[in-house]
Amino acid sequence: MKKNIALSDTGFLFNPSTGDSYSTNPIGLDIIRELKDGSSPKEVLKFILGKYEVEESRIEKDLGDFIDMLKSFQLMDNNG
Amino acid sequence: MSKIIYERPVITKLNTGISNKFGTRTEYTPVTDIDGVSVKSIIKEHGSPCFVISEKQLRKNIRSAQRAFKTRYPKVQFAWSYKTNYINAVCNVFHQEGIWAEVVSGFEYQKAIQNGVPGNKILFNGPDKTTEELKTAMENNSVIHLDHFDELFEVSAMAEERKQKTRVAIRVNMDTGVYPMWDRFGFNYENGQAWNCINKVMANEWLDLTGLHCHIGTYMLAVSAYSIAASKLCDLAVNIKSQWNKSIEYLDMGGGFASANSLKGSYLQGADIIPTIDEYAEAITSVILNYGFKQNELPLLILETGRAMIDDAGYLLGSVLATKRLSDGRRATIMDFGVNILFTAFWYNHKISPAQEFSHHTEDMVLYGPLCMNIDVVRESITLPLLSKGDNVVVHRVGAYNMTQWMQFIQMRPRVVMIDEKGEVHIIRERETIQTLEQLESMPKHLSSFEL
Ligand SMILES: Cc1ncc(COP(=O)(O)O)c(C=O)c1O
C-alpha cells in the first residue's frame, strides 16, 4: 500500500499524487488499514477470518480480487 | 466475541463533479416479496430461474385499460394478442375479464379454441394462414384479417366454392409519421391498395367486410400516430358507407402501447416518458367520435394491446452463479438466466433488484447470462449492491414476449408460476426436462450405437 494515501474512518481514500478519491466499505477499510500497517496479504486474510463470519475459500477469492483493484487504481505497488 | 457479518470488500473511484442527472437511484432497493409472497420461498419451491406472473397486477392492468377506453367511447372490445404471452392460464385471466382472442398462427388459433374462446370472438391475423386453418376459421365464423392479395384470392375462392358467408377484415398499413413504417403487413392506405382490396371484398357476395384493422408498430411513444391511424381508418369506413352503403362493424387499432420498460439507447427511464393509457385512449376515441359517424353507426373499437397489459405483471427470479473481474477491471456478474429466456434483454435495459438486504455500498457491473456465447448480456452496465454467488435478484417487467420468444438453447426453459389474488402460488407451466426434449427426437438405426 502506498504510504501517502489518506484514509478516513468513514471509508474515503485520497491519493495526493493523483488527486483521485475513492470510497470503500468497512471490510475494505479494515483490509487497507492492515496493508498500510505493513501486513502481508496472508496476514490480512488471517485477520479477516478472525473478525468476520466467512469461509476461507471465499475471503481468499474476494481478497485477491480487492487487491487487484487496489493495484489497478495504483493505490498499491505491484510488488505488494 | 461474535464475528461480524461478512460483505465482500469493494472499492470504487469517485467521480467528483459528475453527479447523476437522476439523483439517487432506487434500482437497488431490495425486492424481497411479490404480492406478499417471499421471493426466496418461490425460488426454494420452484427453482431458479423462475418466471412469476402476478394475477392481481394483470387484472388491474386489464381493468384500467378497459376503463380508459370505455369511459370515453360507447363500444369497446379488447382482444388478447396471444403472441405476447400465450400460456393458457394467462390467456384465461384475460378471457375472464371479457377479452377476446387475437391470434397470428394456426397454433395460436388452436390454443384459443382449446381455451374455450367462441370462434366468432377470435380475430385471425398474420401473413401465414394455411388453407386448412382458413377453412376452420370459416366454419367457426372467426374474422379473417386479410394480409395480402394472395390471401384475398384464396379466401374469395374458398368462400365461393363452399358457398359460405365469410367474415373478413382488412389490415391496413399507413404512414403515421413514425418511421420505419410497418408497411410489410396488410394493404397500403396512401397508394390506394387498401381501397382496391376493399372494393374486391365488397364485390364478392360471399365475403362480409366486418372490420378494418391496423397495427402501426410496437412501443409507440407518439400518441399522435394513433390519431392519424384512427382518422385514416375512419376515412376508409366513411367511404365504404358512401360508396357501398355498408356500415363497418369494427375498427381495430391493433396494439403498440408502450410499457414502462426502458429501451436500450434511451437516456430517459421508460416510466418517465411513456404516454399513459388514458392519453392513447383520448387520441384514438376523440378522432372516431368526431369523425361524423351517426351515433347508431359508430363502429365497435377493438384494441389488441399486448405488452402494456402484461409487462409489469411478469417477473423473472434468478441467482448469481459467479462474479469475476474483467481484464479492464470491470466487475462481471454471471446470472443463471440470460437472453435464452430473457429475450427482451435485446431491446430493454431491464430493471433488476436484489432480493435480499445489502449495505448501501454498490458497484457498477456488467450482467452476463449463463450461455457460453458472447451475445449473452443481460445488462451492459448496471449498478447493484455487492452481489455474491447464490444471491437472488428480481428482474422486472418481463411479462410480454419472453414466455413466447424464449429459446431452448443450451438450457431448458424454467417453470412459470402465477400468484393468485389470495397470494397462492400455482405452477402454470412446468419446467422442461430432458424427457420433454428427447421425445421429439428419433435416432436412425445406423446411428444408434458407437464405440469410443
Ligand atoms: C397484429 C398485432 N396486434 C397486436 C400486437 C401486440 O402489440 P403490443 O404488444 O405492442 O401491444 C402485435 C404485436 O406486434 C401485432 O402484430
Side-chain angles (χ1 to χ4, degrees), chain B residues 129-139 144 150-166 204 206-207:
Chain B
K129 313 178 188 82
T130 66
T131 307
E132 205 47 45
E133 289 157 5
L134 287 170
K135 204 173 113 207
T136 310
M138 283 180 181
E139 281 163 4
I144 298 166
D150 288 314
E151 188 166 71
L152 167 65
F153 297 138
E154 179 169 20
V155 171
S156 296
M158 284 172 72
E160 271 168 35
E161 191 190 307
R162 300 162 59 85
K163 302 212 178 315
Q164 183 163 25
K165 197 77 175 166
T166 298
N204 184 324
W206 295 106
L207 298 185

Side-chain angles (χ1 to χ4, degrees), chain B residues 264-322:
Chain B
K264 280 196 169 172
S266 165
Y267 189 50
L268 297 158
Q269 300 281 298
D272 298 332
I273 51 168
I274 61 163
T276 62
I277 198 102
D278 284 279
E279 289 169 315
Y280 288 116
E282 186 61 31
I284 293 169
T285 58
S286 61
V287 168
I288 306 175
L289 285 171
N290 296 320
Y291 212 85
F293 292 100
K294 288 199 195 117
Q295 189 64 28
N296 61 347
E297 285 175 4
L298 271 177
L300 174 71
L301 170 58
I302 293 185
L303 297 140
E304 304 170 347
T305 311
R307 68 178 76 239
M309 288 278 204
I310 196 170
D311 238 354
D312 68 355
Y315 301 85
L316 175 60
L317 314 184
S319 310
V320 175
L321 295 177

Side-chain angles (χ1 to χ4, degrees), chain B residues 36-282:
Chain B
V37 182
S38 107
V39 167
K40 300 261 177 205
S41 74
I42 297 175
I43 288 178
K44 192 160 171 235
E45 174 98 23
H46 302 284
S48 174
C50 177
F51 279 101
V52 178
I53 303 274
S54 159
E55 183 181 344
K56 190 161 132 195
Q57 187 62 37
L58 195 52
R59 288 190 191 269
K60 197 171 144 207
N61 294 347
I62 298 169
R63 286 170 193 168
S64 68
Q66 304 226 52
R67 197 178 320 113
F69 279 88
K70 288 184 174 174
T71 51
R72 289 180 168 84
Y73 192 81
K75 292 154 75 182
V76 176
Q77 179 60 55
F78 277 83
W80 177 234
S81 163
Y82 261 47
K83 67 169 159 308
T84 310
N85 189 319
Y86 44 56
I87 294 179
N88 295 331
V90 168
C91 295
N92 277 11
V93 172
F94 283 92
H95 301 321
Q96 282 188 352
E97 295 286 335
I99 291 183
W100 294 359
E102 183 268 323
V103 302
V104 290
S105 71
F107 155 66
E108 289 184 1
Y109 188 93
Q110 284 179 41
K111 276 200 141 228
I113 290 285
Q114 284 176 19
N115 283 335
V117 181
N120 65 353
K121 295 185 172 160
I122 303 176
L123 312 178
F124 198 176
N125 269 325
D128 175 15
K129 313 178 188 82
T130 66
T131 307
E132 205 47 45
E133 289 157 5
L134 287 170
K135 204 173 113 207
T136 310
M138 283 180 181
E139 281 163 4
N140 291 335
N141 203 23
S142 304
V143 191
I144 298 166
H145 283 216
L146 300 173
D147 187 75
H148 42 72
F149 280 114
D150 288 314
E151 188 166 71
L152 167 65
F153 297 138
E154 179 169 20
V155 171
S156 296
M158 284 172 72
E160 271 168 35
E161 191 190 307
R162 300 162 59 85
K163 302 212 178 315
Q164 183 163 25
K165 197 77 175 166
T166 298
R167 297 202 302 157
V168 299
I170 294 173
R171 170 137 181 198
V172 180
N173 68 62
M174 58 185 74
D175 184 356
T176 60
V178 172
Y179 306 95
M181 196 170 131
W182 281 35
D183 60 357
R184 55 177 282 190
F185 304 108
F187 303 86
N188 185 252
Y189 171 84
E190 283 80 16
N191 69 12
Q193 210 180 47
W195 186 248
N196 183 4
C197 179
I198 287 167
N199 285 329
K200 284 189 164 55
V201 169
M202 290 306 301
N204 184 324
E205 61 172 320
W206 295 106
L207 298 185
D208 175 13
L209 182 56
T210 308
L212 296 173
H213 171 219
C214 68
H215 171 73
I216 57 177
T218 191
Y219 201 92
M220 303 292 291
L221 292 172
V223 294
S224 60
Y226 283 96
S227 308
I228 297 170
S231 75
K232 288 182 176 175
L233 287 193
C234 287
D235 175 59
L236 292 174
V238 165
N239 280 326
I240 293 166
K241 177 71 184 173
S242 66
Q243 307 224 356
W244 293 92
N245 193 30
K246 158 102 183 164
S247 294
I248 290 293
E249 206 175 293
Y250 68 75
L251 300 182
D252 177 347
M253 295 299 301
F257 303 160
S259 72
N261 266 309
S262 301
L263 279 187
K264 280 196 169 172
S266 165
Y267 189 50
L268 297 158
Q269 300 281 298
D272 298 332
I273 51 168
I274 61 163
T276 62
I277 198 102
D278 284 279
E279 289 169 315
Y280 288 116
E282 186 61 31

Side-chain angles (χ1 to χ4, degrees), chain B residues 334-366:
Chain B
I334 306 166
M335 308 302 306
D336 64 356
F337 59 86
V339 293
N340 52 329
I341 56 170
L342 193 65
F343 187 86
T344 51
F346 286 128
W347 320 328
Y348 292 142
N349 284 328
H350 277 290
K351 176 180 164 175
I352 299 175
S353 311
Q356 52 275 302
E357 299 290 341
F358 281 98
S359 75
H360 65 279
H361 291 275
T362 58
E363 262 181 325
D364 290 333
M365 60 183 83
V366 46

Side-chain angles (χ1 to χ4, degrees), chain B residues 264 339 345-346 366-369 373-381:
Chain B
K264 280 196 169 172
V339 293
F346 286 128
V366 46
L367 275 195
Y368 291 129
M373 295 285 288
N374 230 359
I375 54 159
D376 195 19
V377 181
V378 176
R379 285 288 301 264
E380 271 108 25
S381 168

